[in-house]
């Protein structure tokens, strides 16, 4: 409250000089009457203080000159009315100069003190206002997201707070060429931050105040604001970089997940082209493979927009000497090329027609190296005129490494599958040959020997009963050996499977099983031989394991081969707890099924029986 009153008092405009003279005369008159009234209760030499009140008021409101004049007039009035009548020693018509001189000195000092007090108070008020203005300016500049946009607001606030119209704050040097304006530089350690532009016709005191008090504070605030903006920009760049790295890592993880899952290389090529194009902000991306006949095969292609026709995936194009793919093939290193005026300098020469149609401006390529051999190239195409950043080759290289890993894994899987298929085929052929040799060779000889023994038995004379009995026992033993050989032949490769198909062979297995079997076979016609053999051995091995280990009372066997895959499900109600890794029989079944591109799964919780499920593609047979 007191601060507001003081501020209002200090901001009062000085009245005209004539009013000051009238107020001074009125104060002296009133003070004289007051001293006459106080003369009865106070000594006259102490009443001169009353005249100092008017001097103080006039000096404070109208300044030192009028205050000093009021002090002189008050001194003579005081001396004339109060001092002279009481002193016997008078000089020059009755004036008492010593009390008058003392009063004049005190009055002049009071006048000077009042004027100085007003000056100091006004300066303190200005300082406070400037401090408030500096605080408001600092808040505006330090809270502004964009410094340049906040400067007009700051300039209006300064003009309003300093009561100076047409002030402006600009970044850099400004206003130097305008004769109607004065430019006050704002610097920090000899670094030009901006310029305070003011009208050139301002009073010298105002300009001095701007230079000495406003400019230094504005320089400090502006320097802090510039530092804050620089830090904010650096943080924004860091956030953008972190977001870019996070997006890139997420894209790499997605592609790496596909690689780890072992999906088809074509799917991985498409995912890599898409993810890489989105990461580097390319308009198009392509994955190409080098062929021995100096051509490239387009393995994958991605476009950021649905534009014109794209090169067909799988197409072959000859390598051209000016092409980007040729440059990568020749150097084995990443490369980039650009077009000038619509004429290709070499942006993927094997796609030059498409490049011209799509208005491609630049392209960046990175080699794909698989097992120390240059397998292909990955290319990113751009329509924008701005140059691509220097680190884009390294970002593309991360994706090419994933492509190389996927290709290497796919080749290893293909080689493993081919090796398994060869092993299974050789095993089946060996079983066929052994079964055929046993059937056509040993079994036929045993049958022939058995017939010959029976004929010899019938030819034995009656007087040799012991010989007849011995021949009979030999023939019976030979029959048992033949049955054992036939059982062994069926275990090696059942002839009924080759002749009658899957359903009769599985029925035979069910009849021979020591555990009751609930068999359900849904097969339309004959299946490929390898599929039938795999299903047969899955059921055979499972029934053998149930009889040996499960202690089950029933086995349910479901075989379904209606669609594009043969599905086998074998469930028992035994003790469970089977470990599929513990027996060589299941491992052999796993190799056989995987060689055909199928899957096999065993679930065996303790006390809840065992379930084996296998799925075999029919086309893989």
């Amino acid at each position: 409250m007191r601060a507001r009153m003081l501020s209002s008092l200090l901001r009062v405009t000085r009245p005209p000089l004539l009013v000051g003279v009238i107020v001074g005369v009125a104060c002296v008159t009133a003070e004289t009457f007051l001293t006459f009234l106080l003369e009865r209760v106070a000594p006259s030499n102490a009443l001169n203080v009353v005249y100092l009140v008017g001097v103080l008021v006039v000096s404070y409101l109208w300044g030192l000159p009028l205050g000093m004049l009021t002090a002189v007039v008050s001194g003579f009035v005081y001396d004339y009315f109060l001092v002279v009548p009481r002193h016997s020693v008078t000089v020059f018509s009755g004036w008492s100069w010593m009390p008058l001189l003392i009063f004049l000195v005190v009055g002049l000092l009071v006048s000077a003190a009042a004027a100085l007090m007003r000056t100091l108070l006004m300066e303190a008020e200005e300082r406070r206002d400037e401090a408030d203005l500096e605080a408001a300016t600092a808040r505006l500049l330090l809270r502004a997201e964009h410094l340049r946009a906040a400067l007009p607001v700051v300039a209006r606030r300064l003009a309003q707070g300093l009561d100076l119209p047409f002030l402006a704050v600009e970044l850099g040097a400004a206003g130097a060429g305008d004769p109607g304006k004065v430019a006050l530089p704002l610097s920090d350690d000899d670094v030009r931050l901006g310029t305070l532009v003011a009208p050139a016709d301002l009073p010298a005191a105002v300009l001095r105040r701007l230079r000495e008090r406003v400019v230094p504070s504005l320089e400090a605030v502006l320097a802090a604001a510039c530092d804050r903006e620089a830090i904010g920009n650096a943080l924004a760049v860091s956030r953008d970089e972190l977001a870019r790295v996070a997006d890139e890592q997420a894209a790499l993880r997605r592609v790496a997940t596909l690689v780890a899952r072992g999906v088809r290389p074509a799917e991985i090529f498409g995912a890599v082209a898409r993810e890489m194009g989105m990461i580097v902000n390319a308009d198009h991306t392509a994955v190409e493979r080098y062929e021995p006949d100096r051509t490239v095969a387009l393995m994958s292609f991605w476009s950021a927009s649905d534009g014109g026709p794209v090169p067909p995936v799988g197409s072959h194009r000859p390598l051209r000497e000016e092409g980007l793919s040729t440059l990568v093939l020749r150097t084995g290193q990443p490369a980039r090329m650009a077009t000038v005026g619509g004429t290709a300098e070499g942006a993927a020469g094997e796609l030059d027609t498409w490049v011209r149609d799509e208005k491609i401006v630049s392209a960046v390529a990175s080699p794909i190296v698989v097992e120390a051999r240059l397998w292909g190239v990955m290319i990113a195409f751009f329509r924008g005129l701005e140059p691509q950043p220097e680190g884009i080759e390294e970002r593309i290289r991360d994706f090419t490494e994933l492509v190389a890993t996927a290709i290497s894994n796919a080749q290893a899987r293909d080689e493993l599958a081919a090796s398994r298929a060869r092993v299974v085929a050789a095993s089946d052929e060996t079983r066929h040959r052994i079964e055929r040799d046993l059937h056509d060779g040993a079994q036929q000889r045993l049958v022939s020997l058995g017939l010959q023994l029976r004929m010899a038995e019938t030819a034995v004379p009656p007087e040799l009963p012991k010989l007849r009995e011995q021949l009979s026992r030999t023939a019976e033993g030979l029959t048992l050996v033949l049955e054992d050989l036939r059982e062994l032949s069926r275990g090696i490769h059942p002839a009924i499977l080759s002749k009658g198909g899957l359903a009769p062979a599985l029925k035979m297995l069910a009849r021979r099983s020591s555990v009751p079997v609930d068999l359900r076979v849904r097969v339309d016609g004959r299946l490929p031989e390898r599929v039938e053999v795999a299903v047969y051995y899955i059921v055979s091995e499972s029934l053998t394991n149930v009889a040996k280990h499960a202690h089950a009372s029933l086995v349910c066997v479901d075989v379904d081969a209606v669609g594009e895959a043969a599905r086998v499900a074998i469930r028992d109600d035994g003790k469970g707890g089977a470990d599929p890794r513990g027996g060589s029989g299941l491992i052999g079944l796993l190799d056989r099924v995987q060689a055909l591109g199928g899957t096999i799964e065993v679930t065996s919780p303790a006390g809840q029986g065992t379930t084996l499920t296998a799925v075999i593609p029919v086309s893989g047979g």
Side-chain angles (χ1 to χ4, degrees):
M1 185 68 178
R2 286 178 296 177
R4 286 198 298 268
M5 292 178 60
L6 179 61
S7 177
S8 301
L9 184 61
L10 290 175
R11 288 191 174 92
V12 173
T13 303
R14 284 182 175 178
L17 182 61
L18 180 60
V19 176
V21 173
I22 295 173
V23 171
V25 172
C27 287
V28 172
T29 303
E31 289 164 351
T32 302
F33 282 108
L34 182 61
T35 54
F36 283 137
L37 295 176
L38 296 176
E39 186 179 20
R40 300 173 183 176
V41 296
S44 59
N45 57 0
L47 295 179
N48 54 5
V49 178
V50 176
Y51 288 92
L52 296 179
V53 175
V55 175
L56 183 64
V57 171
V58 173
S59 299
Y60 185 83
L61 293 178
W62 280 272
L64 183 62
L66 190 58
M68 294 177 64
L69 179 60
T70 304
V72 171
V73 172
S74 298
F76 280 102
V77 171
Y78 167 72
D79 186 78
Y80 181 80
F81 287 102
L82 297 176
V83 176
V84 173
R86 292 166 174 76
H87 293 277
S88 57
V89 180
T90 61
V91 184
F92 299 109
S93 303
W95 292 102
S96 179
W97 291 105
M98 185 57 64
L100 178 61
L101 181 62
I102 294 173
F103 180 85
L104 290 177
V105 170
V106 174
L108 293 177
L109 290 176
V110 169
S111 177
L116 179 61
M117 181 181 67
R118 178 179 175 86
T119 302
L120 293 177
L121 288 177
M122 291 185 65
E123 184 176 356
E125 182 67 12
E126 288 180 355
R127 295 280 187 176
R128 188 178 69 83
D129 292 342
E130 290 173 2
D132 293 340
L133 186 60
E134 291 173 7
T137 303
R139 284 195 298 271
L140 287 173
L141 291 176
L142 296 179
R143 291 179 179 178
E145 294 184 4
H146 302 287
L147 184 59
R148 189 177 297 275
L151 290 181
V153 181
V154 171
R156 287 196 299 270
R157 181 65 62 86
L158 284 174
Q160 181 181 0
L162 298 174
D163 197 18
L164 297 175
F166 310 116
L167 281 182
V169 181
E170 301 180 11
L171 293 178
D178 191 347
K181 295 181 180 180
V182 58
L184 304 178
L186 304 174
S187 305
D188 180 38
D189 293 335
D190 298 329
V191 177
R192 185 70 171 267
L193 301 176
T195 304
L196 177 63
V197 182
D201 56 355
L202 290 178
V206 176
L207 287 176
R208 185 171 60 254
R209 177 187 177 190
L210 290 177
R211 287 193 178 94
E212 295 178 357
R213 302 213 307 248
V214 176
V215 167
S217 63
L218 191 57
E219 284 178 338
V221 176
L222 192 59
C226 290
D227 292 341
R228 176 195 172 278
E229 187 176 50
I231 294 173
N233 293 335
L235 289 176
V237 171
S238 299
R239 285 196 300 269
D240 294 341
E241 181 67 17
L242 288 175
R244 183 192 66 80
V245 172
D247 292 341
E248 185 171 340
Q249 293 300 315
L252 291 172
R253 281 197 302 272
R254 287 192 292 270
V255 177
T257 300
L258 295 178
V259 174
R261 285 169 49 192
V263 302
R264 296 180 300 108
E267 185 177 348
I268 293 178
F269 295 156
V272 166
R274 180 181 65 256
E275 297 286 358
M276 187 194 71
M278 296 175 66
I279 287 298
V280 301
N281 293 323
D283 294 288
H284 308 280
T285 54
V287 178
E288 297 179 328
R289 182 182 66 197
Y290 294 117
E291 300 293 345
D293 59 351
R294 294 288 297 175
T295 62
V296 287
L298 186 62
M299 307 303 296
S300 178
F301 192 87
W302 174 84
S303 293
S305 59
D306 298 331
V310 299
V313 175
S315 59
H316 287 69
R317 296 175 182 81
L319 283 170
R320 300 185 180 181
E321 290 301 323
E322 71 275 14
L324 186 56
S325 298
T326 304
L327 178 60
V328 174
L329 177 62
R330 186 166 55 246
T331 62
Q333 299 295 326
R336 61 172 63 196
M337 288 185 175
T339 61
V340 179
T343 302
E345 289 182 344
E350 65 280 357
L351 297 176
D352 56 351
T353 303
W354 175 82
V355 164
R356 286 194 298 270
D357 293 341
E358 289 294 318
K359 298 180 176 57
I360 298 300
V361 173
S362 62
V364 181
S366 181
I368 302 175
V369 180
V370 180
E371 297 178 354
R373 182 180 66 87
L374 185 58
W375 180 90
V377 62
M378 184 178 295
I379 308 176
F381 300 97
F382 302 90
R383 291 198 188 102
L385 296 175
E386 64 277 1
Q388 301 305 317
E390 291 297 328
I392 191 171
E393 289 90 345
E394 294 299 324
R395 297 165 66 183
I396 297 178
R397 188 192 296 271
D398 293 336
F399 287 94
T400 61
E401 291 176 355
L402 285 175
V403 171
T405 302
I407 296 171
S408 180
N409 291 348
Q411 290 177 349
R413 287 195 303 272
D414 292 342
E415 293 174 358
L416 178 60
S419 176
R420 283 175 170 171
R422 289 193 298 269
V423 170
V424 171
S427 175
D428 289 343
E429 181 61 29
T430 301
R431 290 172 181 269
H432 260 298
R433 189 180 69 253
I434 294 174
E435 187 272 334
R436 187 170 55 251
D437 291 344
L438 289 176
H439 183 271
D440 297 339
Q443 290 186 51
Q444 294 299 327
R445 291 192 186 96
L446 289 175
V447 170
S448 178
L449 287 175
L451 292 175
Q452 293 176 10
L453 283 175
R454 290 302 181 185
M455 291 175 61
E457 180 184 357
T458 57
V460 174
E463 60 272 14
L464 298 174
K466 290 185 178 181
L467 179 58
R468 180 189 296 273
E469 182 181 356
Q470 185 176 2
L471 290 174
S472 177
R473 286 197 301 269
T474 302
E476 291 175 358
L478 194 59
T479 301
L480 293 176
V481 171
L482 181 59
E483 291 296 332
D484 290 341
L485 191 58
R486 285 175 176 170
E487 186 71 21
L488 177 63
S489 177
R490 282 194 296 268
I492 293 175
H493 189 88
I496 190 174
L497 181 62
S498 301
K499 296 177 181 179
L502 188 59
L506 296 181
K507 290 178 181 179
M508 184 192 69
L509 287 177
R511 287 195 301 268
R512 292 170 50 202
S513 174
S514 60
V515 179
V517 178
D518 180 10
L519 178 64
R520 299 177 185 178
V521 181
R522 292 178 296 277
V523 178
D524 294 339
R526 295 297 300 268
L527 301 177
E529 181 182 4
R530 291 184 180 180
V531 178
E532 289 187 342
V533 172
V535 174
Y536 177 85
Y537 282 115
I538 289 172
V539 176
S540 176
E541 182 69 25
S542 298
L543 292 179
T544 301
N545 288 337
V546 170
K548 289 182 179 180
H549 310 294
H551 303 290
S553 60
L554 178 66
V555 183
C556 296
V557 179
D558 291 329
V559 179
D560 184 355
V562 178
E564 297 180 353
R567 296 173 177 82
V568 182
I570 303 171
R571 300 179 297 276
D572 67 65
D573 57 357
K575 64 179 183 178
D579 186 1
R581 299 169 298 178
S584 60
L586 285 177
I587 295 177
L589 292 179
L590 179 62
D591 291 339
R592 179 182 289 274
V593 171
Q594 289 183 347
L596 299 177
T599 59
I600 189 169
E601 180 181 358
V602 178
T603 304
S604 185
Q608 300 182 28
T610 300
T611 300
L612 182 145
T613 304
V615 179
I616 305 172
V618 172
S619 60

